Amino acid sequence: MSHPKPHGPTTPPRARRLTALTAAGLLAFAGCTVVEDDEPTAADQAADDTTADTTADTTADTTADSDDTTDDTAGETDGDAAGETDDADDTDDGAVAGEVTFDQGVTEDACPDAVNPDNGCIYLGILSDLTEGPFAALAVPITDAQRNYWQQVNEAGGVGGFDVDIDTYTRDTKYQPAEHAAQYNAIADNVLALAQSLGTVNTEAVLDDMDANDIVAVPASWWSGYNFTENDKGLILETGYSYCVEAVVGLDWFTENHSQPASIAAVGYPGDYGGDSAAGAQLWAEANGAEVTVVPTGPNQVTGGQDAVVSAVLQAGPDVVLLAVGPAENAEIVGKLAASGFTGRFLGSLPTWNPALLESPAAPALQGLFNHLAPTQQWNGDSPGVQAMKDSLDGAEPENGGYVIGWVMSYPMHALLEEAVASGDLTRAGLRSVVDGLEADFQGMAQNITYGGEGKDVAVPGLIVGTPSPDAPLGIDSTTEFYEGSTFGELDYTQACSASS
């Protein structure tokens, strides 16, 4: 189904009359594999208490002020690991608000600092890279955008008599699977769903537990495996295309707007990001008679620099370099190759761009040789969704395009909550049950997706192309019409292009 604009009318609040369901109707929090039920260490507890302080304009004040409240209303008890809550199970599991049944992650009591004090509260979790990981520069504005999106929803009345809170259970994972699992464990029993789970490998680390407990998530990653139920178990609400599809469509665009490449270098992090992008390049090459050289690399924190990549690309001499790295690696690779006399061009995947790169020594090379690929309209888009996003900041530009990503990511969860309320079942199982067939309307910012299909039934190919420019919003002059090309439609897209790790 489509859903109202975030700043428009939503389902009116319902009267809340609490009754108890039978114990057989309650959700049982199942055992985990990666997620442990051990008591947290003092260091873990301290990390939980302070994580919200790590983002600009984030949750420090809200979380600190609401600790006592959320212990009672959302079931977070000091020392409790996932599966050991007291208050949420005793007061909210199996409750009925009017015609809406709810349990874990939803309370009759208002959210901390509620916009609508007479509403109940839906708690959504965020697991993101908020301090020292390779994508923190993007993840902080992603999270800011999600906060502002739900603020608009709450100011419009909320969802079905509930406000939505993402602040109380925002946690920093540092883009590490073990830390992601630890922070998931700390919040899992207290949230209805995950508004953000950053990183495919990180999300995969807890997916079995999510499956056992019906926890739906919106990923901040674009792996092709999410287009297939065997990989995402029907729990993942993806937005836009996958890295694999991005490479295929991007190379079609390059052919139409520059020249058909006979040779391609696919540079990226192995696995779900660079590996998926490289697999897409290989699929395109097989369909169009080109050659591909795959050049794996890692974040500078791991590799110490990109000199090995520069050497490999110079030796291969490709017509175009497809980049699936972070912004810092992007600038180093493009800048050093241009300075070395490389005459090819560059296509950069969604996470490669940051407007701060225009202040780096690589700026001239980026402006002359680089194009950015994205699955959504950017800040200069002309859709109602872009206008709603701009309204959330009163027209001021955010730090970078992460804000665009976070805004777009919020539409599927909003649609899912509206659909669950309409069905009368706001439990985790109820939320999961309406994923199949759910349509997410992105208000023109991205191509709409109907979830529950396989491969091309759910995959979307629409591409937005940007050119670095100091005169453009967020330093990138982007197209506003979605380009699809022809190659993807001819491919046999029946399984994930790459492994997740």
Side-chain angles (χ1 to χ4, degrees):
M1 66 176 278
S2 60
H3 63 276
K5 299 179 182 180
H7 53 286
T10 58
T11 308
R14 301 174 184 266
R16 289 182 298 279
R17 300 188 308 276
L18 298 184
T19 60
L21 295 179
T22 64
L26 303 181
L27 289 178
F29 202 81
C32 317
T33 53
V34 175
V35 181
E36 298 293 340
D37 283 337
D38 296 336
E39 291 281 71
T41 65
D44 290 336
Q45 189 64 50
D48 255 1
D49 293 339
T50 60
T51 299
D53 293 331
T54 60
T55 63
D57 295 324
T58 58
T59 64
D61 293 336
T62 303
T63 303
D65 292 341
S66 63
D67 278 346
D68 293 338
T69 304
T70 55
D71 282 351
D72 294 330
T73 63
E76 182 178 57
T77 306
D78 290 344
D80 282 348
E84 298 177 359
T85 58
D86 297 320
D87 295 338
D89 288 342
D90 291 342
T91 63
D92 293 320
D93 280 8
V96 178
E99 299 175 0
V100 180
T101 302
F102 61 91
D103 48 35
Q104 285 171 282
V106 184
T107 67
E108 182 197 18
D109 295 323
C111 297
D113 298 325
V115 172
N116 301 291
D118 292 332
N119 278 0
C121 190
I122 296 169
Y123 290 93
L124 302 177
I126 285 187
L127 299 170
S128 194
D129 178 14
L130 300 176
T131 53
E132 60 192 54
F135 294 108
L138 286 174
V140 170
I142 286 173
T143 305
D144 289 342
Q146 292 190 284
R147 178 176 303 105
N148 290 341
Y149 181 99
W150 292 109
Q151 178 71 13
Q152 282 195 2
V153 171
N154 292 340
E155 288 174 353
V159 178
F162 298 90
D163 281 6
V164 176
D165 176 292
I166 68 167
D167 286 339
T168 301
Y169 298 109
T170 289
R171 297 294 185 267
D172 180 22
T173 70
K174 303 178 176 65
Y175 201 70
Q176 298 174 5
E179 186 66 17
H180 193 98
Q183 296 301 336
Y184 168 88
N185 185 60
I187 69 171
D189 214 28
N190 301 315
V191 298
L192 175 62
L194 297 176
Q196 179 192 153
S197 181
L198 190 142
T200 303
V201 175
N202 300 334
T203 303
E204 292 279 294
V206 297
L207 190 59
D208 285 345
D209 191 86
M210 291 167 57
D211 184 30
N213 295 285
D214 298 319
I215 297 179
V216 178
V218 182
S221 63
W222 293 266
W223 177 44
S224 60
Y226 291 149
N227 294 155
F228 302 93
T229 306
E230 65 177 319
N231 299 306
D232 76 356
K233 304 182 188 298
L235 293 167
I236 299 298
L237 302 176
E238 62 267 42
T239 58
Y241 52 52
S242 67
Y243 300 121
C244 176
V245 174
E246 177 185 68
V248 172
V249 181
L251 288 166
D252 272 353
W253 177 89
F254 187 90
T255 297
E256 288 190 23
N257 290 272
H258 292 286
S259 62
Q260 180 163 335
S263 57
I264 303 158
V267 178
Y269 305 159
D272 68 291
Y273 179 24
D276 213 49
S277 178
Q282 290 171 320
L283 289 173
W284 187 92
E286 290 168 4
N288 292 279
E291 296 182 354
V292 177
T293 300
V294 177
V295 183
T297 188
N300 283 343
Q301 296 99 313
V302 176
T303 64
Q306 300 300 315
D307 287 344
V309 169
V310 172
S311 249
V313 172
L314 285 173
Q315 183 175 357
D319 298 317
V320 60
V321 180
L322 192 65
L323 294 167
V325 293
E329 295 78 36
N330 174 22
E332 182 179 349
I333 292 166
V334 173
K336 287 184 174 180
L337 279 168
S340 300
F342 178 68
T343 57
R345 291 189 61 87
F346 303 86
L347 292 177
S349 185
L350 174 63
T352 59
W353 181 250
N354 188 319
L357 299 187
L358 288 176
E359 300 173 8
S360 74
L366 288 164
Q367 288 177 245
L369 300 172
F370 174 84
N371 290 109
H372 178 246
L373 310 178
T376 68
Q377 286 191 342
Q378 298 299 290
W379 198 258
N380 63 337
D382 56 6
S383 65
V386 168
Q387 187 56 55
M389 175 180 65
K390 290 180 176 180
D391 290 345
S392 74
L393 290 178
D394 296 325
E397 290 183 23
E399 183 177 352
N400 60 52
Y403 197 92
V404 179
I405 296 170
W407 191 267
V408 170
M409 283 175 57
S410 302
Y411 284 107
M413 185 58 70
H414 190 180
L416 189 66
L417 293 178
E418 293 277 13
E419 184 73 5
V421 166
S423 76
D425 189 351
L426 198 55
T427 65
R428 290 175 174 178
L431 211 62
R432 184 177 190 173
S433 72
V434 294
V435 170
D436 191 355
L438 177 78
E439 181 183 358
D441 181 348
F442 296 94
Q443 293 188 271
M445 284 188 74
Q447 293 180 315
N448 290 358
I449 296 177
T450 300
Y451 299 100
E454 300 291 327
K456 288 182 180 177
D457 294 334
V458 68
V460 294
L463 181 78
I464 295 293
V465 182
T467 303
S469 169
D471 300 322
L474 301 183
I476 199 87
D477 184 13
S478 297
T479 59
T480 58
E481 297 296 324
F482 290 98
Y483 173 86
E484 296 188 2
S486 59
T487 301
F488 177 66
E490 300 168 359
L491 295 179
D492 182 21
Y493 191 66
T494 57
Q495 62 183 3
C497 298
S498 73
S500 61
S501 59

